[in-house]
Amino acid sequence: MSEVYVIGHKSPDTDTVCSAIVYAALKGYTPARPGELNEETAYVLDYFKVPAPVLLENAAGKKLVLVDHNEPAQVVNGGDQAEIIEVIDHHKMNFVCNKPIYVHVEPVGSTATVIAKQYMDKIKTNPTWAGLLLAAILSDTVIFKSPTTTDEDKAIAAELAKVAGIADVQAFGIDIKKAKASIKGKPIADVIHVDFKDFDFGGKKVGIGQTELVDINEAYDRKDEIVNYLNELKANKGYAMVVFIATDIIKEGSELYFAGDPAMMEKAFGVKPEGPSFWLQGCMSRKKQVAPPLEKAFTS
């Protein structure tokens, strides 16, 4: 049997990487990543002394299990020439396959929750697996502050914390978030692309990036850089719209920077932009609060 790679989306985050590692271990497959780790994910892997998954920049001719994504635009390069045998996810479906495969998608806060629910008996025997999945849940739910958070995420996280020996889940979550919660001194391209996803909204290419901060002033101080870079992306990469979400996890809201038609942003969010950005109180989730209204605006 040829090797099977478990891999997450481009611009890999903690949920995508940790879910790939644990699911691969459970199934006897090989964990992979389509790009470099961000600081948060690197912190988590170092904390649990787990090596990074193999870097797979082109998957043509490979067998793949997709975790934490299913949108074609988010699949590793060469994915359209690979054999996808499974999908494990927690996002909306935009996936087509020419044969029956195993697909497991649930409306919860992270892919780690989906995996933990299904394999808890085995995960309870391995504190490292439990710790990785706990970190992934805390990351994707923004320590349970994201509106994507469900009671199942919280219950599963509590079980995983006991197995992993994490006494203070809140403090552990804050430590994880602090690992990449600053953009000082970082190239603006790196800031915007560290968690960036492409979407197809009614045939229009839309890019949405996000970063989480403990002080939104770090983004305000670099507003011109952010806006200029978004406009360059739009002009050079065929985007109808590019959005960057700077989320303050303390204030529990986001500044939305954008390059594109302001009327489309007003249609999506009910806010008339007075410039290339605006504050949206309570906005924490790209998946639930930014991508869906933008898709509706582009397709209605």
Side-chain angles (χ1 to χ4, degrees):
M1 181 179 174
S2 60
E3 191 169 14
V4 175
Y5 294 90
V6 184
I7 192 165
H9 54 71
K10 294 175 181 177
S11 301
D13 60 15
T14 300
D15 187 33
T16 217
V17 171
C18 291
S19 292
I21 291 170
V22 176
Y23 195 71
L26 287 163
K27 301 281 283 189
Y29 296 154
T30 300
R33 57 191 167 93
E36 298 304 321
L37 303 178
N38 64 40
E39 296 100 321
E40 178 188 289
T41 308
Y43 171 85
V44 170
L45 297 191
D46 181 67
Y47 185 96
F48 292 107
K49 302 296 184 281
V50 174
V54 63
L55 180 62
L56 185 65
E57 294 182 294
N58 193 299
K62 310 293 187 185
K63 286 188 175 181
L64 304 180
V65 173
L66 304 185
V67 293
D68 199 33
H69 72 302
N70 67 83
E71 297 259 1
Q74 298 169 16
V75 177
V76 60
N77 291 338
D80 58 342
Q81 301 168 55
E83 181 185 356
I84 297 172
I85 63 171
E86 295 183 41
V87 176
I88 314 295
D89 199 5
H90 69 123
H91 296 92
K92 74 176 181 68
M93 294 298 293
N94 183 18
F95 179 77
V96 176
C97 188
N98 61 6
K99 66 178 183 179
I101 64 169
Y102 180 79
V103 176
H104 188 167
V105 178
E106 294 192 38
V108 291
S110 75
T111 301
T113 301
V114 177
I115 294 170
K117 280 179 62 180
Q118 188 173 12
Y119 295 97
M120 185 59 81
D121 286 349
K122 292 182 179 179
I123 290 163
K124 281 182 176 178
T125 68
N126 192 308
T128 298
W129 293 353
L132 290 172
L133 294 178
L134 172 63
I137 293 171
L138 292 171
S139 174
D140 247 31
T141 65
V142 195
I143 322 173
F144 309 130
K145 291 182 179 181
S146 170
T148 61
T149 307
T150 68
D151 289 341
E152 284 188 302
D153 295 303
K154 294 177 182 178
I156 291 290
E159 284 190 69
L160 294 171
K162 291 177 184 177
V163 177
I166 304 294
D168 191 333
V169 171
Q170 192 78 13
F172 180 54
I174 291 171
D175 286 343
I176 290 170
K177 284 300 176 188
K178 281 182 178 178
K180 75 175 180 82
S182 175
I183 62 173
K184 287 183 177 178
K186 296 178 182 177
I188 207 65
D190 292 351
V191 170
I192 289 169
H193 285 288
V194 72
D195 185 5
F196 190 91
K197 292 183 177 181
D198 287 341
F199 297 87
D200 181 340
F201 294 158
K204 301 291 186 180
K205 183 180 177 183
V206 177
I208 308 176
Q210 184 172 22
T211 197
E212 291 157 352
L213 305 166
V214 293
D215 182 3
I216 194 64
N217 287 309
E218 289 191 21
Y220 292 158
D221 290 344
R222 303 186 70 178
K223 177 177 180 177
D224 290 345
E225 286 181 85
I226 293 170
V227 171
N228 288 340
Y229 187 77
L230 295 183
N231 279 300
E232 286 178 19
L233 267 183
K234 181 178 180 297
N236 298 329
K237 300 294 183 179
Y239 288 101
M241 173 81 72
V242 187
V243 178
F244 177 63
I245 312 161
T247 299
D248 190 314
I249 62 176
I250 305 301
K251 293 182 178 179
E252 298 187 28
S254 298
E255 187 76 15
L256 268 61
Y257 297 89
F258 67 94
D261 185 357
M264 197 62 72
M265 296 297 283
E266 182 179 4
K267 183 179 179 182
F269 302 105
V271 176
K272 187 172 184 177
E274 296 182 359
S277 73
F278 56 92
W279 176 260
L280 209 56
Q281 184 61 38
C283 177
M284 306 287 286
S285 169
R286 169 178 51 202
K287 170 189 165 186
K288 193 166 185 177
Q289 296 170 297
V290 178
L294 271 176
E295 181 174 23
K296 184 177 181 181
F298 273 95
T299 57
S300 63

